[in-house]
Amino acid sequence: MGQVLSVLDLQKVYEVKRSAFSVQKDLINALCGVSLELDKGKTTGIVGESGSGKSTLARCILLLERPDGGTISFLGRDLLNMPKGELKALRRQMQIIFQDPYSSLNPRKRIFDTIAEPLLFHGIVDRRDVKDKVMEILKNVGLDEDFINKYPHEMSGGQRQRVAIGRSLTTDPALIIADEPVSSLDVSIQAQIVNLFLDIKERTDIAMLFVSHDLNVVRFVSDEIVVMYKGRVVEAGLKDEVFLGPLHPYTKMLINAAKGEYSRREEDTSYDKGNGCPYYARCEERKDCCRESVPPLTGSKDHSVACFSVS
Amino acid sequence: MQLLDVTDLNTSFFIDNNVMHAVDGVSFSVPKGEIFGLVGESGCGKTMTALSVMRLVQPPGRIVKGQVVFEGKDLLGLSEREMEKVRGDRIGMVFQEPMSALNPVFRVGEQISEAIIIHKNVGKKEAKDRAVELLKQVGFDEPEKRYSQYPHQLSGGQRQRILIGIAISCGPSLVIADEPTTALDVATESQIINLLENLVNDSAMSMIFITHNLNIMRKLGKRIGIMYAGRMLEQNLVDVFFREPLHPYSKGLLSSIYGLAGNQKRLTAIPGSVPKLAELPRGCKFHPRCPYVMPVCREEEPVIKEVGKGQWVRCYLY
């Protein structure tokens, strides 16, 4: 088993003006020391609510944003200190699938051109063979050949997402990052796309990072789970370890909410954000020591958690 | 005695000589003090049903026929003047997008008082007092301070609370909540759902809760209606529905989300996609995607019939 991706202590800070006319700036820690590893053929699900930093993490790994600290090693190479030319060549090994298939496909291009473009750009196939290759890719994502001449507006959301997935497969990547790939689809279509991801996983050796706020979906596609809250990893581990024996109060709350059991606790707004645990204000199991410092991520590779209540 | 009785409601859109039936023969009723869940995928007509009840359908859409009997009066027979008295006073509405439903240039408190002043014939001072009381009721710790804040100073969940405050400001007997939590995080979602549930329990108010998220309905309300392509396919009691759904579409929906409990390798997806209103199939609108399809389903659309107490289904299997 080869390691595809290793992220160590990743940091990303955004500066935000305090108000429209203010010169003072607030610093927002979008990522605070996030680490994760991903092996060939494995899928890691990243869960958390909006603002937890899960999309920032995805964007930093692809270097769509420049992280402020930490290291990213992809296929054994240090991404952050790499000549531009080499990086460009390595980029075809990593692909992203976005949330909204309505805006991530070019509305003026036929499906054929959308999928053929990366094939020709990277010189993967000859111009002569490109049509066969495009057909093959469409078939792999469950679309018949009639789609080849269609425009995105002639297709439903689920069909468009299939095209986006097909496009990401064109360059035979080592890593696919899927950022909320089913959230904008109808419930009955979501299951189809989730099944497509499972097919790809079975058929190929591609490592996947599956970013989603929907635990039901993540549970289906992932081997490992990383739970993020306010830019930190609060719990991580093998899927069943995390789902069947969640340790962090935040993970427990998320799992209950996914079952339809909603917590009764309101956020304690009187608590001033200090140096303590980022989840303190909402935590059901908080103790005094949680206000003093941020709990470190402890445990084994199979299951780790950042919480003082877990010993 | 039902608070709201909707019978054979039809709302259509007339575009370029085409007629699209956004709501087609929908009937349901909401008893006093109950939550009725209206569930379906995008474009199935659940929002159009709500807007028709409020008589807020905009041209080229029009309510073609049906009855909406609310507190003993047929709303579809009222003049626009009379309808204005019902809207916001007797029926409150909470919209999906708390960002765009609030006016950004007015203080949130004023937006609550506005409704009270219009409907309750009271002065500014008294309206403000009531608004502050409402802010407290929807869970704000410092209602006076919140009263004079602007929408941009509040988070999504807080804005949704303001909208709920506006919806209940005049003590309505029915609140229509249209996807009130879709734009919110899981944790905020649970707070808003708790708040709505408590309001219904405390004030004997009724509610139509519209959502595409079946999981929410697991613990909310007593009865549920499943819509598809403008039609009501099934109505059932919530606890029965999640154990034994009737319609093949409901079964498909449940198995495609039933993630956390099962251990299956694949989700049982419903094949195909949601039909467009302009290109509806003949016969049962679900037949191209139905695993139990029979010849008759392709020819003629089944009618919705009662198969048990409070259980209705539109399918030839029953």
Side-chain angles (χ1 to χ4, degrees):
Chain A
M1 272 305 184
Q3 193 176 66
V4 173
L5 179 74
S6 163
V7 173
L8 197 67
D9 198 24
L10 210 61
Q11 311 274 348
K12 177 76 195 174
V13 181
Y14 290 110
E15 284 185 351
V16 183
K17 276 191 185 173
R18 203 159 282 179
S19 73
F21 304 106
S22 171
V23 281
Q24 282 181 317
K25 284 179 178 161
D26 284 333
L27 297 179
I28 294 187
N29 287 314
L31 293 177
C32 282
V34 173
S35 304
L36 64 92
E37 286 176 357
L38 186 56
D39 287 340
K40 207 168 152 182
K42 294 285 179 194
T43 300
T44 293
I46 301 178
V47 286
E49 55 197 39
S50 56
S52 62
K54 55 193 197 307
S55 283
T56 307
L57 176 63
R59 297 174 64 85
C60 281
I61 292 172
L62 292 169
L63 295 186
L64 297 174
E65 305 260 355
R66 189 95 195 156
D68 295 315
T71 58
I72 304 170
S73 140
F74 177 64
L75 298 173
R77 319 262 306 273
D78 180 2
L79 275 193
L80 294 175
N81 300 301
M82 183 180 276
K84 256 194 175 160
E86 273 179 63
L87 183 64
K88 203 172 163 188
L90 213 53
R91 271 196 193 275
R92 65 183 261 195
Q93 298 278 341
M94 35 173 151
Q95 292 289 336
I96 184 163
I97 297 163
F98 293 100
Q99 171 172 359
D100 180 9
Y102 290 84
S103 55
S104 62
L105 295 178
N106 187 333
R108 296 190 172 209
K109 276 192 176 160
R110 291 175 199 273
I111 299 313
F112 173 80
D113 297 312
T114 295
I115 294 180
E117 188 182 24
L119 287 171
L120 295 170
F121 178 83
H122 289 293
I124 294 164
V125 290
D126 275 344
R127 200 162 274 280
R128 283 181 277 131
D129 303 327
V130 75
K131 194 166 178 197
D132 289 341
K133 183 73 184 168
V134 171
M135 300 272 217
E136 184 195 320
I137 288 166
L138 283 180
K139 207 172 130 238
N140 280 342
V141 294
L143 294 173
D144 58 43
E145 48 195 72
D146 298 348
F147 283 97
I148 214 162
N149 284 320
K150 287 200 177 179
Y151 286 99
H153 74 263
E154 299 173 272
M155 305 170 68
S156 70
Q159 289 164 342
R160 285 181 220 210
Q161 198 59 299
R162 284 175 192 273
V163 171
I165 294 169
R167 180 175 58 181
S168 76
L169 293 171
T170 50
T171 60
D172 201 10
L175 171 70
I176 289 182
I177 296 183
D179 190 2
E180 303 266 12
V182 300
S183 324
S184 68
L185 304 175
D186 275 322
V187 188
S188 69
I189 308 300
Q190 283 191 5
Q192 295 176 5
I193 299 297
V194 166
N195 285 344
L196 177 59
F197 274 104
L198 291 171
D199 289 341
I200 293 170
K201 219 179 117 180
E202 249 166 41
R203 236 177 21 227
T204 66
D205 262 344
I206 300 172
M208 268 194 271
L209 272 188
F210 197 98
V211 179
S212 178
H213 69 277
D214 186 339
L215 267 79
N216 291 316
V217 172
V218 167
R219 165 139 199 211
F220 253 84
V221 295
S222 310
D223 303 297
E224 288 181 31
I225 306 283
V226 171
V227 184
M228 291 186 67
Y229 186 75
K230 295 203 172 155
R232 292 170 201 275
V233 174
V234 294
E235 185 161 357
L238 297 176
K239 171 176 74 177
D240 286 343
E241 293 273 338
V242 175
F243 270 107
L244 303 177
L247 296 172
H248 199 281
Y250 179 61
T251 317
K252 290 180 195 165
M253 187 278 291
L254 284 179
I255 290 179
N256 285 337
K259 284 187 203 150
E261 289 159 14
Y262 291 99
S263 91
R264 306 267 148 188
R265 186 164 189 110
E266 304 275 315
E267 177 153 358
D268 178 0
T269 44
S270 60
Y271 165 63
D272 181 37
K273 290 176 204 73
N275 305 318
C277 175
Y279 192 59
Y280 183 83
R282 282 161 62 178
C283 188
E284 308 206 352
E285 300 169 27
R286 62 191 185 193
K287 301 191 261 189
D288 284 344
C289 63
C290 304
R291 296 184 75 146
E292 306 299 323
S293 62
V294 179
L297 196 66
T298 54
S300 66
K301 195 175 180 301
D302 288 352
H303 199 171
S304 54
V305 63
C307 180
F308 288 128
S309 296
V310 184
S311 51
Chain B
M1 167 70 187
Q2 308 286 3
L3 177 77
L4 175 76
D5 245 317
V6 177
T7 318
D8 195 24
L9 183 68
N10 283 267
T11 300
S12 302
F13 281 76
F14 300 86
I15 302 169
D16 304 337
N17 296 325
N18 282 328
V19 186
M20 278 180 264
H21 305 286
V23 179
D24 201 330
V26 166
S27 305
F28 63 96
S29 42
V30 185
K32 221 170 168 315
E34 250 187 56
I35 300 179
F36 180 76
L38 202 51
V39 183
E41 300 179 278
S42 53
C44 71
K46 51 195 193 307
T47 298
M48 256 5 253
T49 304
L51 292 178
S52 303
V53 169
M54 294 285 268
R55 276 188 44 193
L56 286 171
V57 179
Q58 300 287 326
R62 183 151 55 82
I63 300 170
V64 183
K65 78 175 188 195
Q67 272 191 318
V68 179
V69 179
F70 171 73
E71 293 185 327
K73 275 181 295 192
D74 185 3
L75 295 185
L76 301 186
L78 296 184
S79 69
E80 188 52 37
R81 246 317 210 337
E82 290 167 311
M83 192 61 212
E84 274 170 15
K85 290 198 182 119
V86 176
R87 245 183 250 137
D89 185 18
R90 307 305 308 144
I91 308 181
M93 186 142 183
V94 182
F95 294 93
Q96 173 173 355
E97 265 296 329
M99 277 305 199
S100 48
L102 286 171
N103 190 331
V105 299
F106 286 99
R107 297 172 199 279
V108 291
E110 289 168 356
Q111 301 189 44
I112 300 180
S113 334
E114 186 192 3
I116 303 172
I117 292 170
I118 290 173
H119 289 292
K120 294 297 175 194
N121 197 20
V122 296
K124 268 191 177 166
K125 177 76 186 58
E126 199 186 333
K128 181 174 177 177
D129 291 344
R130 282 204 212 174
V132 169
E133 192 51 44
L134 280 161
L135 283 168
K136 211 163 136 193
Q137 211 182 332
V138 295
F140 285 108
D141 287 337
E142 300 163 283
E144 282 89 2
K145 183 182 141 203
R146 296 295 178 192
Y147 185 92
S148 48
Q149 284 187 319
Y150 289 93
H152 75 265
Q153 294 171 295
L154 304 179
S155 72
Q158 289 171 330
R159 283 188 206 136
Q160 200 55 283
R161 283 169 204 263
I162 300 289
L163 281 185
I164 293 169
I166 296 174
I168 63 168
S169 58
C170 300
S173 49
L174 176 71
V175 167
I176 301 179
D178 187 3
E179 304 256 11
T181 61
T182 304
L184 305 174
D185 279 322
V186 196
T188 325
E189 176 172 61
S190 66
Q191 291 168 11
I192 296 294
I193 287 173
N194 284 337
L195 172 63
L196 289 172
E197 211 176 359
N198 291 340
L199 287 172
V200 169
N201 291 340
D202 296 348
S203 59
M205 198 166 74
S206 304
M207 182 178 297
I208 301 177
F209 192 97
I210 300 176
T211 181
H212 68 274
N213 186 347
L214 266 178
N215 272 329
I216 291 182
M217 294 313 300
R218 249 175 236 278
K219 293 281 147 71
L220 192 67
K222 211 169 193 172
R223 289 185 313 128
I224 189 171
I226 305 290
M227 285 191 75
Y228 186 81
R231 282 129 178 99
M232 192 74 89
L233 292 190
E234 172 171 353
Q235 266 190 62
N236 213 332
L237 303 164
V238 165
D239 39 351
V240 180
F241 178 83
F242 284 98
R243 266 199 330 266
E244 304 165 63
L246 296 169
H247 200 280
Y249 175 63
S250 315
K251 291 179 184 165
L253 272 186
L254 273 176
S255 59
S256 38
I257 58 156
Y258 209 55
L260 277 179
N263 259 332
Q264 67 267 56
K265 273 267 187 306
R266 286 284 191 281
L267 292 173
T268 331
I270 306 176
S273 50
V274 184
K276 289 186 186 137
L277 278 183
E279 307 159 3
L280 286 183
R282 259 173 75 122
C284 172
K285 304 309 163 210
F286 185 62
H287 88 253
R289 307 175 71 191
C290 182
Y292 309 101
V293 63
M294 299 178 284
V296 59
C297 308
R298 297 196 176 90
E299 295 304 319
E300 209 174 324
E301 184 164 20
V303 291
I304 188 158
K305 55 176 174 258
E306 195 163 11
V307 293
K309 200 174 178 320
Q311 296 180 289
W312 296 73
V313 63
R314 188 191 282 273
C315 181
Y316 285 120
L317 289 176
Y318 297 89

